[in-house]
Amino acid sequence: MLASSRLFPEEMMDKRVFRCVECNETATELHRDYSNNILKITICESCQKPVDKYIEYDPVIILIDAILCKTQAFRHILFNTSLDIHWKLCVFCLLCEAYLRWSLLHGSKQSSDPADIIRYTKEWEFYGMFGLAALELSAFCISVLWFLWAVVGRLQGGKLELRLLLRALLLSCYGKVLLIPAVIWEHDYSPLCLGLIKLFVLTSNSQAIRVILNSSRRLSLLAVCLGVLSETCVAQACKKFPWSIQEMLTD
């Protein structure tokens, strides 16, 4: 049986509008159910290819293609599945980023005494770092959504689904999970690894925007760059506040 039968009950498939992973044309179904549980993948009327070849693929292969930022894999995840873990993934990624900042903050304070490690874990610094990471992510998403709303929704007169875009942005931040092993397996090239992880996350964000809007790479890159600029401004503002949050955490 095809994998999509596990993702969508039959009654849900009747109500959804799917997208062809090859040409982005809409489709009313991913497969057709014949008698005796015989399923046949639906062929796209536009490109004459399977609407979604990934419904037969193993999840590991889908994940690998998503890591490679393949457009087809992103369309499958964002349009043709009922994956609804973006808020949970967002919180987990924020925890990863907060742990990275917290560990770097205590990099010069590391002690071999287990009591010190236990004491550090009870401090509020970690939660403060989580709040800063959440604030910066909020600034990034709001700036990206505002830019796309202004350009696509207002100037070009296109239809913009902000909720779907936000879901895509949050799901495409999955690369932040790599921050944990980068910190645990610390080595001389950690700054380079962290930079590459950041670049990978931004690339995934850009690809997610392209898939949702079916737009040019230039537009998605501009949106991501504006988001990074806003995120950086918020981070710098937090450092230069009269009652600097980070200084309060380190005191």
Side-chain angles (χ1 to χ4, degrees):
M1 185 175 291
L2 298 178
S4 64
S5 60
R6 299 193 300 269
L7 295 173
F8 295 106
E10 196 66 35
E11 59 272 14
M12 285 183 63
M13 291 192 65
D14 293 337
K15 301 177 182 179
R16 285 187 59 112
V17 175
F18 305 100
R19 295 290 184 91
C20 174
V21 298
E22 301 294 340
C23 65
N24 201 46
E25 285 295 322
T26 57
T28 56
E29 59 183 3
L30 299 178
H31 62 77
R32 186 160 297 176
D33 191 358
Y34 294 96
S35 59
N36 299 323
N37 291 326
I38 299 177
L39 303 178
K40 182 179 180 182
I41 296 179
T42 304
I43 301 300
C44 176
E45 297 179 358
S46 177
C47 63
Q48 300 303 314
K49 294 181 180 180
V51 171
D52 194 342
K53 60 183 179 181
Y54 286 104
I55 61 178
E56 291 186 305
Y57 285 22
D58 189 88
V60 176
I61 298 178
I62 300 175
L63 177 61
I64 292 174
D65 281 358
I67 292 175
L68 295 175
C69 290
K70 288 190 175 182
T71 303
Q72 294 90 339
F74 271 71
R75 284 180 181 146
H76 167 76
I77 295 171
L78 296 176
F79 292 125
N80 299 343
T81 68
S82 57
L83 192 63
D84 195 26
I85 61 169
H86 49 288
W87 290 115
K88 295 179 181 179
L89 180 62
C90 173
V91 173
F92 185 71
C93 289
L94 288 174
L95 288 172
C96 293
E97 193 163 353
Y99 175 76
L100 169 65
R101 300 183 184 197
W102 177 82
S103 62
L104 293 177
L105 180 65
H106 286 288
S108 58
K109 303 180 183 179
Q110 288 182 355
S111 171
S112 58
D113 187 359
D116 289 339
I117 299 176
I118 295 175
R119 177 169 59 85
Y120 286 150
T121 58
K122 293 182 179 179
E123 293 179 356
W124 285 93
E125 295 173 357
F126 178 81
Y127 303 104
M129 294 301 173
F130 180 87
L132 287 174
L135 185 61
E136 292 176 14
L137 178 62
S138 299
F140 175 84
C141 291
I142 291 173
S143 298
V144 170
L145 294 178
W146 176 83
F147 173 79
L148 294 175
W149 173 82
V151 174
V152 178
R154 303 292 292 180
L155 297 181
Q156 298 181 1
K159 184 180 179 181
L160 196 65
E161 298 184 25
L162 294 179
R163 188 174 179 180
L164 186 58
L165 268 172
L166 179 60
R167 172 175 173 263
L169 285 175
L170 296 180
L171 284 175
S172 59
C173 288
Y174 63 90
K176 292 184 178 181
V177 177
L178 298 174
L179 293 172
I180 293 295
V183 174
I184 294 177
W185 298 321
E186 185 177 1
H187 49 73
D188 296 336
Y189 299 101
S190 289
L192 177 61
C193 291
L194 297 178
L196 291 175
I197 291 173
K198 180 67 173 178
L199 180 61
F200 172 72
V201 172
L202 295 178
T203 302
S204 299
N205 293 150
S206 175
Q207 184 71 335
I209 293 172
R210 285 189 64 204
V211 168
I212 294 296
L213 299 180
N214 196 28
S215 62
S216 64
R217 182 176 284 106
R218 181 180 300 176
L219 177 64
S220 62
L221 288 176
L222 283 174
V224 169
C225 288
L226 180 62
V228 172
L229 180 61
S230 299
E231 181 181 352
T232 304
C233 290
V234 169
Q236 293 300 319
C238 290
K239 291 180 181 179
K240 294 181 179 180
F241 249 55
W243 44 274
S244 175
I245 299 176
Q246 293 190 358
E247 289 180 4
M248 292 177 61
L249 293 173
T250 55
D251 285 344

